[in-house]
Every structure is written in C-alpha cells, then in structure tokens.
C-alpha cells in the first residue's frame, strides 16, 4: 500500500452509529482479526484477546451494559477487546520458545527479556510486591531514568497494548469494506458478565462492526499546527 492510499483509509474511517442488517461474509471477521494480531505489544507479550458476539441472544445483555447504545444491537457483530492481567504468566515462555525456534531472537535476548519482564511485572509474594515497587520507583528516579512499572500500573500498561490492537482492527476492517465504532461508554463488570469474560481480563474498548447504514456528518479535526511541537514542547 502506498502512503496516499493509507492516508485515504485513515481519513475515511468513521465512528459508525447505525448499521445495516446485512451479515458479514463467513470468515471475513476472522480474517480481519488475523491481521489485528500483528499489532505490536510491549516485549511482544500479546495480552490482547478478542471476544466476538455475533448471536442476537447474548447481545441484549451487552446492549444494556453498553448504556443501550443502538449500534450494539444493530451491528451484525461486536468485538470486545480485553487485556489479560496474567499475560506474562500465560504467554512469555511460549512466546520466547516460538521466537527462539523461528530465529526471531537469540538466547541473549531471551535471558535479558526474562530478567526485565520479571523486574517490571512480578508482583512478588502474596501479590503485594507491587507496593514495594510503587515506593521504590520514585527513589530510583532520583538517580536514574525509571519507566512506569507495569507491576504497579497494570491497567495502564494493558490499555496501551489493547488499544494498539483496536486501532489496527479498525483500519483493517475499513480496508476490508467494514465499518466500526470504538466505544468506551459501557459498564466493564456488566460487559464481562454478559459474555463470561474472566475477572483476570480488563475491557478497554468494545467495537461493533458491520456495514454502515448512513453516512455520518463531515469528519473534522483540529489543525496539525496546534498539536505538533517541533524539537520539544
Ligand atoms: C476510545 C474511544 C471511545 C469512544 N466511545 C464512544 C462511545 O461509547 N459511543 C459513541 O457513540 N462514540 C464513541 N467514540 C467515538 C468518537 O466519538 C469518535 O471517534 C469521534 O467523534 C471522532 O469521529 P470519527 O471516529 O468518525 O473520526 C469513541 C471513540 C474513542 C476513540
């Protein structure tokens, strides 16, 4: 794809609030999600999961949990994006094994990765080690650059990863001729209950997907000059 084509794609994607009844062709949503999983994540830990709701039966509870926003009932599918709080425990070793087998990393990187991920994510004995990290980080920052620590700010870390996937999904869907809308207007606990999502997963965004019923009003953005800061703020 050339830059002009990508620019058109980014400018034409709209938050779609009304959908046609038209179903999504068999396999297309899975195809778009297969593209979505190539979004990047910190240490390639890949904490993002996609929970698909395509049956009308389970949709009503989801609709209620999403503050009765009509697009949740109208769209032929809704994808709930979740972030696994236990992604390191669940994925890290499997990922490193795969990366080593495929030549995507070497032993040195794997050792370094285990060490840093342990320091950054491990919540210590009884799961309260994060408290120590919370107290130690500002002290460390006095003498050397210290990033925000996922063991302390797990939800913040997960939201970053999941939203990269969500944006990739929306652009891939647009390229496949589908319309989407990102939604944060929902009650997370009720969304989890509606689809049986475990408590170990957070829900940063819900995305109905299908074919747009009507064209939105004109899309607009603030000028680039007000948000670009050359060579510093
Ligand atoms: C994280 C996020 C959450 C949003 N939540 C909602 C929502 O709950 N309901 C809704 O109608 N629109 C929601 N929107 C859509 C925005 O209003 C929309 O993206 C914005 O007005 C820009 O329009 P555009 O996406 O068509 O360019 C959300 C957008 C984002 C990025």
């Amino acid at each position: 794809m050339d830059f002009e084509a990508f620019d058109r794609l980014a400018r034409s994607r709209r938050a779609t609030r009304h959908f046609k009844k038209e179903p999504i062709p068999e396999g297309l949503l899975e195809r778009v999600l297969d593209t979505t999983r190539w979004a990047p994540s910190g240490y390639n830990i890949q904490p993002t999961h996609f929970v698909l709701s395509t049956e009308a039966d389970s949709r009503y509870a989801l609709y209620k949990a999403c503050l009765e926003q009509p697009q949740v009932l109208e769209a032929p599918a809704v994808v709930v994006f979740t972030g696994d709080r236990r992604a390191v425990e669940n994925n890290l070793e499997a990922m490193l094994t795969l990366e080593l087998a495929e030549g995507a990393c070497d032993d040195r990187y794997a050792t370094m990765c285990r060490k840093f991920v342990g320091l950054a994510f491990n919540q210590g004995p009884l799961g309260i080690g994060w408290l120590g990290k919370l107290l130690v980080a500002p002290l460390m920052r006095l003498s050397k650059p210290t990033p925000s620590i996922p063991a302390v700010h797990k939800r913040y870390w997960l939201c970053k990863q999941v939203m990269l996937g969500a944006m990739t999904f929306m652009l891939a869907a647009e390229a496949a001729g589908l319309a989407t809308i990102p939604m944060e207007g929902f009650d997370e606990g009720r969304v989890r209950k509606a689809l049986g999502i475990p408590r170990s997963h957070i829900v940063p965004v819900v995305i109905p997907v299908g074919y747009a019923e009507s064209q939105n009003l004109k899309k607009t953005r603030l000028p680039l000059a007000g948000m670009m800061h050359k060579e510093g703020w």
Side-chain angles (χ1 to χ4, degrees):
M1 176 190 274
D2 65 23
F3 176 67
E4 291 304 328
F6 183 80
D7 186 64
R8 277 197 301 279
L9 182 79
R11 287 172 194 254
S12 60
R13 182 216 50 80
R14 300 304 314 272
T16 300
R17 296 193 175 84
H18 292 288
F19 289 86
K20 292 180 180 157
K21 285 204 178 331
E22 193 178 333
I24 299 171
E26 181 80 29
L28 182 58
L29 196 50
E30 283 76 3
R31 178 72 189 81
V32 172
L33 288 169
D34 195 38
T35 300
T36 304
R37 75 191 168 91
W38 290 94
S41 61
Y43 299 97
N44 205 7
I45 287 171
Q46 303 168 56
T48 306
H49 287 236
F50 324 116
V51 187
L52 269 62
S53 164
T54 53
E55 285 171 6
D57 293 356
S58 62
R59 194 66 67 72
Y60 193 70
L62 191 58
Y63 164 71
K64 295 297 273 185
C66 294
L67 319 181
E68 304 188 9
Q69 297 196 57
Q71 58 268 23
V72 176
L73 281 186
E74 288 181 17
V78 177
V79 184
V80 176
F81 280 73
T82 77
D84 183 4
R85 288 181 171 280
R86 296 189 51 77
V88 169
E89 293 85 337
N90 289 336
N91 294 357
L92 182 67
E93 278 311 315
M95 216 15 254
L96 288 176
T97 304
L98 183 66
E99 287 191 344
L100 285 166
E102 300 209 349
C105 77
D106 56 19
D107 286 323
R108 236 182 63 166
Y109 173 82
T111 306
M112 185 279 295
C113 194
R114 283 190 190 96
K115 185 177 152 202
F116 279 109
V117 169
L119 281 171
F121 288 81
N122 196 329
Q123 296 195 315
L126 305 175
I128 53 169
W130 65 271
L131 206 55
K133 290 181 177 172
L134 173 67
L135 299 172
V136 164
L139 297 176
M140 280 171 62
R141 223 162 262 135
L142 292 175
S143 59
K144 62 177 179 180
T146 306
S148 107
I149 301 175
V152 180
H153 306 286
K154 183 66 78 67
R155 176 173 281 270
Y156 170 68
W157 183 83
L158 282 172
C159 278
K160 285 190 285 186
Q161 322 302 323
V162 173
M163 292 311 288
L164 287 172
M167 191 69 243
T168 304
F169 172 74
M170 289 190 285
L171 290 174
E174 184 73 23
L178 294 165
T180 57
I181 175 166
M183 287 173 46
E184 60 192 349
F186 57 82
D187 176 321
E188 184 170 353
R190 285 182 166 86
V191 166
R192 231 190 261 122
K193 197 165 165 209
L195 296 177
I197 298 166
R199 290 187 62 79
S200 54
H201 281 242
I202 69 157
V203 182
V205 68
V206 171
I207 307 187
V209 52
Y211 294 97
E213 171 63 80
S214 53
Q215 199 51 263
N216 284 8
L217 295 173
K218 195 170 183 298
K219 177 168 172 143
T220 184
R221 292 292 189 265
L222 297 169
L224 177 62
M227 55 185 79
M228 187 173 74
H229 308 272
K230 282 186 181 166
E231 322 298 348
W233 189 266

